[in-house]
Amino acid sequence: MIRSLINREKRFNLVVTLALVLLSIVFILPIYWTAVFATRTIGEVFQFPPPLWFGDNLVQNYKNIEAVFPPFRPIINSLIVAIPKTVGLVLVSALAGYGLSRYTRAPGHKTVLVVTFATLFFPPSLALIPFFLQMNAIGWLNTYWPLILPALASGFGVVWMYTYIGSTVPRELYEASEMDGAKGLATFVFVVLPIIRPGLAALAVWTLISTWNDFQIPLVVISDGTKFTVPLALTTLSTTHYSDMPAVMLATLMGLVPVFILFALLSRQFIAGLTAGSVK
């Protein structure tokens, strides 16, 4: 009986492993194919069957990108926007989430919480025209400020940290820290912050990826080609060289590299942050 259960478990684990391998191939294949197309000519890309291995046209495709814009300039522009926005949003969200989670009896607590939750139901495009007019009145058009400062007040980030802190930090820790003389900000820095690092990492990865892929707001507020972020630059390349698919693929691949590096560095903390509630 025991041997039968062991064999059944082994077969189940084998099936799950094979299914995960096939699923991984499905997700990896588009990236691999993008890398292959980035090294091929236009004629080779559109042939049938398509090429499955790398070619020798990488240098020429890179030169085609240079003819439109400096290849690394959009990556630098995206980093200029994404890094301060990510750091600021995570910090503001953590402080707001900590305050809402700890001071539940503060006047107006429920009102602030309800309003914060309500912001999640309104798409950003709903306020796009008023946002443009406001940025124009301030004089921030064609700068990176509209992409950074307004985004620091993130309803999703506040709700995420409020939920995460409430589920991982027991209230007994607050009482113990007060008995030790730590109050307010000191409790957040020395007690709460070390515990919620996985949640912070998960929010940081989500913020950076969403900022990196953001197209609508940069399109509205930025008109100078030298300040284009990666999505805007890719659109420019696709419009200018609409048939040069290899150059577009190479530029896309270059734009994905920083995101892959960040996710590789924070993957463990990111997964821990997503699964914290299930292993409490």
Side-chain angles (χ1 to χ4, degrees), residues 4-15:
S4 176
L5 291 175
I6 293 176
N7 292 334
R8 184 180 301 176
E9 184 179 359
K10 288 182 178 179
R11 288 195 297 269
F12 176 76
N13 291 337
L14 179 61
V15 172

Side-chain angles (χ1 to χ4, degrees), residues 80-93 131 134-135 138-141 143-155 158 207 211 214 217 221-222:
I80 292 174
V81 174
I83 291 178
K85 175 183 172 180
T86 300
V87 174
L89 186 148
V90 169
L91 179 60
V92 172
S93 299
F131 178 78
Q134 183 180 17
M135 295 301 104
I138 298 175
W140 280 3
L141 289 183
T143 69
Y144 294 133
W145 294 116
L147 308 181
I148 300 174
L149 290 183
L152 300 186
S154 168
V158 174
T207 302
T211 303
D214 190 14
I217 296 180
V221 301
I222 296 179

Side-chain angles (χ1 to χ4, degrees), residues 3-275:
R3 181 175 297 180
S4 176
L5 291 175
I6 293 176
N7 292 334
R8 184 180 301 176
E9 184 179 359
K10 288 182 178 179
R11 288 195 297 269
F12 176 76
N13 291 337
L14 179 61
V15 172
V16 172
T17 301
L18 291 176
L20 291 176
V21 170
L22 293 175
L23 188 62
S24 300
I25 293 175
V26 170
F27 283 102
I28 293 174
L29 185 59
I31 300 176
Y32 171 77
W33 223 337
T34 300
V36 171
F37 284 178
T39 63
R40 293 286 183 166
T41 63
I42 299 176
E44 292 172 337
V45 166
F46 290 100
Q47 72 182 13
F48 185 84
L52 300 177
W53 192 245
F54 301 97
D56 55 0
N57 203 54
L58 180 64
V59 176
Q60 182 58 46
N61 293 333
Y62 183 84
K63 291 180 179 179
N64 291 342
I65 299 174
E66 282 186 318
V68 182
F69 55 78
F72 292 98
R73 186 67 223 180
I75 297 177
I76 296 174
N77 294 340
S78 291
L79 289 174
I80 292 174
V81 174
I83 291 178
K85 175 183 172 180
T86 300
V87 174
L89 186 148
V90 169
L91 179 60
V92 172
S93 299
L95 288 170
Y98 164 70
L100 290 172
S101 178
R102 179 176 181 181
Y103 303 106
T104 56
R105 297 182 179 178
H109 174 270
K110 291 184 178 180
T111 302
V112 173
L113 197 58
V114 169
V115 171
T116 304
F117 270 98
T119 60
L120 301 180
F121 298 96
F122 295 94
S125 57
L126 188 65
L128 196 58
I129 295 178
F131 178 78
F132 174 83
L133 296 176
Q134 183 180 17
M135 295 301 104
N136 184 42
I138 298 175
W140 280 3
L141 289 183
N142 211 30
T143 69
Y144 294 133
W145 294 116
L147 308 181
I148 300 174
L149 290 183
L152 300 186
S154 168
F156 173 82
V158 174
V159 171
W160 168 265
M161 293 312 306
Y162 164 75
T163 306
Y164 191 89
I165 293 174
S167 62
T168 56
V169 181
R171 301 201 65 82
E172 290 77 8
L173 279 179
Y174 298 141
E175 299 173 0
S177 64
E178 289 181 356
M179 293 179 62
D180 291 336
K183 296 182 180 180
L185 189 60
T187 301
F188 172 78
V189 174
F190 297 107
V191 178
V192 177
L193 203 58
I195 299 175
I196 64 173
R197 283 186 302 176
L200 296 176
L203 181 60
V205 171
W206 176 86
T207 302
L208 186 125
I209 292 177
S210 62
T211 303
W212 201 267
N213 295 329
D214 190 14
F215 174 78
Q216 187 178 58
I217 296 180
L219 178 65
V220 170
V221 301
I222 296 179
S223 58
D224 186 355
T226 61
K227 297 181 180 180
F228 278 2
T229 56
V230 170
L232 293 181
L234 289 176
T235 303
T236 302
L237 183 63
S238 300
T239 304
T240 307
H241 292 275
Y242 58 91
S243 61
D244 196 349
M245 186 64 67
V248 175
M249 292 293 116
L250 179 58
T252 302
L253 203 62
M254 293 171 62
L256 290 175
V257 170
V259 178
F260 285 153
I261 294 176
L262 178 79
F263 186 81
L265 294 176
L266 298 177
S267 59
R268 181 177 299 179
Q269 297 287 341
F270 177 72
I271 295 173
L274 295 180
T275 59

